[in-house]
Amino acid sequence: MDWYADLYTDRITGTVKERLIAEIEDQKYRGNTYLITLAANPENQLDIFSVQELRFPYLRRNCSLIVGLASCRESALLLTERIVQDVYESTKDVKIRDFFLLKR
């Protein structure tokens, strides 16, 4: 799996980020954790899905760059808002995919 170096996290996942990443890498999908990734469809910007969905081999194989890790769906939505805001403030544009691929 490909993780963004400066991974966005919420208050809860930020304190246990390394442990969560290790568990996900070891295919241990616990809790209500959500991933924010670059969208699988290049026409879109971001995807949000539960870590539980990585149990499906197709999704795990095709998981794009992971840019955010959230403790619940609501936090994932707030984190996505923060990502969009940060990209816009940095580039004055909302080409999120291009921003992360260039910073990779």
Side-chain angles (χ1 to χ4, degrees), residues 8-101:
Y8 281 82
T9 59
D10 62 13
R11 184 177 43 85
I12 295 169
T13 58
T15 60
V16 291
K17 177 175 72 171
E18 287 79 19
R19 182 180 59 82
L20 287 172
I21 291 172
E23 286 180 358
I24 293 168
E25 289 287 338
D26 290 341
Q27 299 183 21
K28 296 176 185 168
Y29 311 122
R30 300 181 208 177
N32 196 27
T33 305
Y34 277 78
L35 300 176
I36 303 167
T37 68
L38 295 184
N41 178 348
E43 299 284 321
N44 298 329
Q45 298 291 330
L46 297 170
D47 284 334
I48 301 172
F49 58 89
S50 169
V51 72
Q52 302 296 332
E53 293 181 48
L54 290 176
R55 294 179 192 277
F56 299 106
Y58 173 80
L59 187 58
R60 184 163 176 80
R61 274 194 314 272
N62 295 303
C63 185
S64 249
L65 177 67
I66 301 167
V67 297
L69 192 60
S71 58
C72 65
R73 178 133 177 96
E74 185 178 332
S75 281
L77 294 172
L78 292 171
L79 199 55
T80 301
E81 183 180 321
R82 192 171 97 205
I83 291 169
V84 173
Q85 192 171 28
D86 286 354
V87 170
Y88 182 76
E89 287 175 4
S90 177
T91 65
K92 300 299 181 222
D93 201 345
V94 288
K95 294 182 180 176
I96 298 164
R97 175 181 287 282
D98 296 342
F99 176 81
F100 284 109
L101 290 176

